[in-house]
């Protein structure tokens, strides 16, 4: 099932542009600008080294956010951002559903923003970019080209 109505596509466009711009401007671009300052101290949750963790995070937060804004390789970009935010929430920020003392989600509020981003990326992963995207334009062109052959 694929959302194909105009209102659905406008909604997906708003989500793509909103999430993409906020992530790019408030997280990805600042990390890119301060790359040299962070290269040795950036968290390394996957054990690949701080440099590579930082590069991967910048690629997701800046590069994949730009792709979301354009609606280009949307599901791939959303998948990369989903992975990034799962790592941020559950590894870097150490969110546990049930704490050792039996309390539930004691640091949920501290993870609110990251969780909201995650839900947005999961939505785009599930729905795709909608018809107001470069992905849709390229699919339309491919179909038209096949019809003319």
């Amino acid at each position: 099932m694929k959302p194909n109505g105009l209102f659905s596509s406008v909604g997906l466009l708003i989500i793509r542009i909103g999430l993409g711009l906020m992530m790019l401007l408030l997280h990805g671009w600042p990390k890119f600008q301060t790359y040299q300052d962070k290269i040795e101290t950036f968290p390394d949750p996957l054990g690949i080294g701080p440099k590579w963790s930082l590069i991967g995070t910048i690629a997701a937060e800046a590069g994949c956010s730009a792709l979301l804004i354009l609606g280009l390789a949307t599901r791939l970009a959303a998948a990369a951002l989903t992975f990034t935010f799962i790592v941020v929430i559950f590894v870097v920020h150490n969110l546990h559903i049930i704490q050792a003392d039996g309390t539930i989600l004691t640091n949920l509020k501290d993870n609110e923003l990251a969780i909201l981003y995650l839900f947005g990326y999961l939505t785009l992963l599930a729905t795709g970019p909608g018809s107001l995207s470069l992905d849709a334009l390229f699919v339309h062109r491919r179909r038209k080209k096949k019809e003319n052959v």
Side-chain angles (χ1 to χ4, degrees):
M1 297 190 326
K2 187 176 183 181
N4 54 11
L6 179 61
F7 289 118
S8 294
S9 290
V10 168
L12 291 169
L13 176 68
I14 291 167
I15 290 172
R16 284 192 354 255
I17 291 175
L19 285 173
L21 280 175
M22 296 301 286
M23 183 55 56
L24 176 64
L25 297 176
L26 298 178
H27 300 278
W29 184 249
K31 282 182 184 77
F32 177 75
Q33 288 180 309
T34 59
Y35 174 81
Q36 288 300 325
D37 299 336
K38 295 179 183 286
I39 198 165
E40 298 296 327
T41 59
F42 196 76
D44 182 26
L46 302 177
I48 59 176
K51 175 185 174 182
W52 292 107
S53 291
L54 179 58
I55 289 170
T57 302
I58 291 170
E61 291 181 355
C64 291
S65 292
L67 291 173
L68 284 187
I69 293 165
L70 297 171
L72 183 62
T74 303
R75 281 196 165 109
L76 181 63
L81 285 158
T82 295
F83 175 78
T84 299
F85 275 80
I86 287 172
V87 171
V88 166
I89 294 164
F90 294 104
V91 180
V92 177
H93 293 176
N94 200 25
L95 176 69
H96 290 91
I97 304 302
I98 300 176
Q99 305 297 315
D101 64 1
T103 58
I104 298 175
L105 298 174
T106 55
N107 60 345
L108 182 64
K109 189 170 179 73
D110 298 336
N111 287 281
E112 179 182 10
L113 182 60
I115 292 168
L116 287 171
Y117 275 116
L118 177 61
F119 281 133
Y121 299 138
L122 286 169
T123 299
L124 291 171
L125 187 59
T127 62
S131 62
L132 302 174
S133 65
L134 288 178
D135 285 341
L137 177 67
F138 293 142
V139 167
H140 177 74
R141 283 187 178 174
R142 262 188 252 127
R143 283 186 188 149
K144 197 166 190 151
K145 193 173 185 180
K146 284 183 180 180
E147 289 173 4
N148 292 335
V149 173

